[in-house]
Amino acid sequence: GAGVSQSPRYKVAKRGQDVALRCDPISGHVSLFWYQQALGQGPEFLTYFQNEAQLDKSGLPSDRFFAERPEGSVSTLKIQRTQQEDSAVYLCASSALRSEQFFGPGTRLTVL
Amino acid sequence: SQQGEEDPQALSIQEGENATMNCSYKTSINNLQWYRQNSGRGLVHLILIRSNEREKHSGRLRVTLDTSKKSSSLLITASRAADTASYFCATKSNFGNEKLTFGTGTRLTIIP
């Protein structure tokens, strides 16, 4: 497909479990972003990659959150020892350098 | 944390009427963007206005930007049922950071 894809679309985890969320950006897009959107709120920035380099991770809420993009394409957001406050929609976006961001459909994470 | 605030939080209008929503932000910006989000779907980019622009049009959309007041407005003319969605403003800062800072959103309902 031509757009940003994310998997899984829905994830239910028990408190304390680790989860991994995947993002496939638009082919050729240099920049990749992760955002967290709580219910009824706007998205909040988590982290940003330019190619494989993680240039900004200031939005990651704790050291339980880790993101990688080892080959400068697909990215994975990992959350260790999930807690109920991690429940949210996780959005991935990609863009050409300094250009419009295109968003994926998101992964809805529910931590029980 | 969210930078922007949108006003109103929710808006219901009759089909065919115009809808206006406002956004305020706090810091110096490079540009301001508006996004639409339908239930269960990702964010769709609507329009971008740069900090040196005051007004921009795209189809039925009109955006204004007042950098002295740190505010923007989005006008949707001749509304349609398909315009029912949440609308978010997002700012890109002037400090070389590529991330977007989103507002809290306006939930727009068009009544057929």
Side-chain angles (χ1 to χ4, degrees), chain B residues 46-47 56-63 74-77 87:
Chain B
L46 296 176
I47 194 165
K56 202 159 183 182
H57 298 255
S58 176
R60 294 184 297 113
L61 305 180
R62 172 180 171 255
V63 169
L74 172 67
L75 168 68
I76 304 173
T77 60
Y87 290 81

Side-chain angles (χ1 to χ4, degrees), chain B residues 90-101:
Chain B
T91 55
K92 182 178 168 185
S93 85
N94 243 341
F95 302 107
N97 195 317
E98 294 298 304
K99 72 179 183 183
L100 293 175
T101 302

Side-chain angles (χ1 to χ4, degrees), chain A residues 11 17-18 53 55 60 75 84 86 89-90 100 103 107:
Chain A
K11 176 69 179 177
Q17 280 185 333
D18 297 348
L55 297 187
L60 296 176
S75 176
Q84 286 188 322
D86 300 335
V89 175
Y90 290 85
E100 171 193 344
F103 282 80
T107 295

Side-chain angles (χ1 to χ4, degrees), chain A residues 20-80:
Chain A
L21 313 180
R22 177 186 168 108
C23 172
D24 284 82
I26 293 172
S27 178
H29 275 187
V30 168
S31 300
L32 186 144
F33 304 81
W34 284 99
Y35 294 85
Q36 180 191 57
Q37 186 174 22
L39 189 64
Q41 299 294 315
E44 292 203 17
F45 170 79
L46 293 177
T47 187
Y48 160 56
F49 290 86
Q50 187 173 314
N51 296 308
E52 68 278 6
Q54 189 174 20
L55 297 187
D56 187 347
K57 54 181 180 179
S58 62
L60 296 176
S62 77
D63 58 7
R64 297 186 296 104
F65 286 70
F66 172 76
E68 60 183 6
R69 193 186 186 199
E71 297 177 358
S73 177
V74 170
S75 176
T76 303
L77 176 67
K78 298 179 179 177
I79 309 173
Q80 297 176 323

Side-chain angles (χ1 to χ4, degrees), chain B residues 15-28:
Chain B
E15 192 168 18
E17 293 182 341
N18 296 341
T20 299
M21 53 205 91
N22 305 294
C23 163
S24 61
Y25 58 92
K26 296 176 184 172
T27 61
S28 176

Side-chain angles (χ1 to χ4, degrees), chain B residues 44-58:
Chain B
V44 174
H45 184 267
L46 296 176
I47 194 165
L48 180 152
I49 186 164
R50 302 190 189 285
S51 59
N52 61 352
E53 298 176 310
R54 292 297 166 257
E55 187 171 313
K56 202 159 183 182
H57 298 255
S58 176

